Amino acid sequence: MKKLKITTNNNGYHAFRVPVSSAYQQVFTHFYFAENNTCETITKTLLPSYQTVLIFSFGVVPSFNSGQNTQIEVEKCLIIGPIKHAFEYTLPPGAEILTVNFKDDAFYRFFGHATIAEHVPINPDELLNEDCFTVLWHELNKLDNTEDRVNYILKFSDRYLIYRDKVAEQLANFIQKSLNPIKAVADLNNQTERNIQLNHKKHFGYSAKELCRYQRFLKAIELIEILITSASKIDWFEIISECGYYDQSQLIHDFKHYINLSPSKYLKFQQDICNPMS
């Protein structure tokens, strides 16, 4: 199994993304593994991804800040999302996490709720009224490596995945950027735009308008990372133009909305920020 974006820190912090096979690419974007084998507590900031994430914790209990200055511990497994704002997570020495990153409407296809964990993280067993995820955690805890754990989760997911809604599939696969996806899908299905908007929120956990704004912000982040990698000087007006912002104040407003940092502060702390989409 191929690992992507391997990073190490202090010869003891390891983190990498694990891609999924083509059979599951409509369901998961990737898995993410991190472990802290150093003697120090490590805190990272996770950028918003507009994904719902299932977190499995092994070893020493990690925690994250929910955004209301409330620290929440992940003892075995927890669901958060859709993640619309950056948050910090903390891995003490001996902590180990594996995250499952749901794609588009996949979380709805599993649980029938797309926004249930948006404000309050929740144990997935509470959504199904059974302890299957606690049982799953115990099985995963017996396995020694990430590849085996990922494969076990994929097989486990097969029994819970329901049929994909036609409209949700059309919205997820819509690629004509010059058209309004809500209007186009409404016309295709002879439905009102309002009805398609409600379906989008129901199946994805966010509106098409929210997603459009986030994609503009994400494009700015990606362009900044490219310029940093190439050792080029950041031209903010180029970023404003390339990403479709009206002016610098709108760019700053989006950065503060999503990560509570100005663009210049993001540059300063960029090494401590994890981009789940890269």
Side-chain angles (χ1 to χ4, degrees), residues 34-54:
E35 63 178 348
N36 181 11
N37 292 326
T38 73
C39 297
E40 300 177 353
T41 295
I42 293 176
T43 298
K44 295 284 185 177
T45 298
L46 181 70
L47 288 180
S49 64
Y50 271 68
Q51 292 176 279
T52 299
V53 177
L54 172 60

Side-chain angles (χ1 to χ4, degrees), residues 96-121:
E96 181 181 326
I97 61 171
L98 177 64
T99 72
V100 185
N101 299 267
F102 293 92
K103 184 177 181 180
D104 298 329
D105 60 324
F107 186 77
Y108 179 90
R109 294 175 64 192
F110 277 102
F111 298 101
H113 303 275
T115 60
I116 191 70
E118 181 175 358
H119 303 293
V120 181

Side-chain angles (χ1 to χ4, degrees), residues 8-272:
T8 60
N9 188 352
N10 297 330
N11 297 319
Y13 173 71
H14 306 279
F16 55 82
R17 288 162 51 103
V18 180
V20 297
S21 64
S22 58
Y24 292 93
Q25 286 180 357
Q26 287 188 343
V27 183
F28 308 111
T29 57
H30 65 283
F31 291 76
Y32 178 79
F33 173 82
E35 63 178 348
N36 181 11
N37 292 326
T38 73
C39 297
E40 300 177 353
T41 295
I42 293 176
T43 298
K44 295 284 185 177
T45 298
L46 181 70
L47 288 180
S49 64
Y50 271 68
Q51 292 176 279
T52 299
V53 177
L54 172 60
I55 306 171
F56 289 100
S57 166
F58 310 98
V60 178
V61 175
S63 62
F64 69 90
N65 189 311
S66 67
Q68 291 80 35
N69 294 320
T70 301
Q71 193 175 65
I72 298 174
E73 294 185 338
V74 186
E75 294 186 0
K76 288 185 175 67
C77 54
L78 200 67
I79 288 173
I80 57 173
I83 301 172
K84 299 181 180 181
H85 301 277
F87 67 83
E88 289 186 345
Y89 65 94
T90 300
L91 300 179
E96 181 181 326
I97 61 171
L98 177 64
T99 72
V100 185
N101 299 267
F102 293 92
K103 184 177 181 180
D104 298 329
D105 60 324
F107 186 77
Y108 179 90
R109 294 175 64 192
F110 277 102
F111 298 101
H113 303 275
T115 60
I116 191 70
E118 181 175 358
H119 303 293
V120 181
I122 191 170
N123 185 317
D125 286 340
E126 296 180 27
L127 297 179
L128 297 176
N129 296 317
E130 54 180 297
D131 62 355
C132 57
F133 279 89
T134 300
V135 172
L136 173 61
W137 179 88
H138 282 288
E139 293 301 316
L140 296 175
N141 198 40
K142 297 175 185 177
L143 302 176
D144 295 328
N145 64 69
T146 303
E147 181 177 348
D148 288 341
R149 286 173 174 171
V150 167
N151 288 331
Y152 197 99
I153 292 170
L154 292 176
K155 292 178 181 178
F156 172 87
S157 68
D158 286 336
R159 75 189 77 168
Y160 292 100
L161 194 63
I162 63 173
Y163 177 76
R164 193 176 199 183
D165 179 80
K166 181 183 71 171
V167 170
E169 183 174 9
Q170 291 170 350
L171 289 167
N173 295 331
F174 194 85
I175 58 174
Q176 294 175 279
K177 294 184 178 181
S178 61
L179 299 178
N180 180 335
I182 297 297
K183 185 179 187 308
V185 173
D187 291 343
L188 184 63
N189 293 276
N190 195 28
Q191 296 186 29
T192 65
E193 291 185 36
R194 177 59 177 166
N195 193 43
I196 299 301
Q197 288 171 343
L198 292 173
N199 268 280
H200 196 292
K201 183 75 173 180
K202 173 183 175 182
H203 288 273
F204 293 80
Y206 46 81
S207 69
K209 185 177 180 180
E210 285 181 275
L211 180 61
C212 183
R213 180 184 179 185
Y214 166 70
Q215 289 174 335
R216 180 181 62 185
F217 164 76
L218 187 61
K219 184 177 180 179
I221 289 291
E222 290 172 345
L223 185 54
I224 289 171
E225 291 182 350
I226 290 172
L227 293 174
I228 291 174
T229 302
S230 63
S232 299
K233 183 178 179 181
I234 302 296
D235 184 340
W236 295 112
F237 292 102
E238 177 186 355
I239 292 172
I240 290 167
S241 175
E242 286 288 329
C243 300
Y245 284 101
Y246 293 122
D247 52 29
Q248 190 171 6
S249 64
Q250 190 183 32
L251 174 70
I252 294 171
H253 182 73
D254 263 14
F255 267 73
K256 290 187 174 180
H257 172 77
Y258 288 115
I259 61 176
N260 200 30
L261 292 172
S262 67
S264 58
K265 285 286 184 65
Y266 170 75
L267 283 179
K268 183 177 180 181
F269 297 106
Q270 190 259 347
Q271 293 298 324
D272 294 322

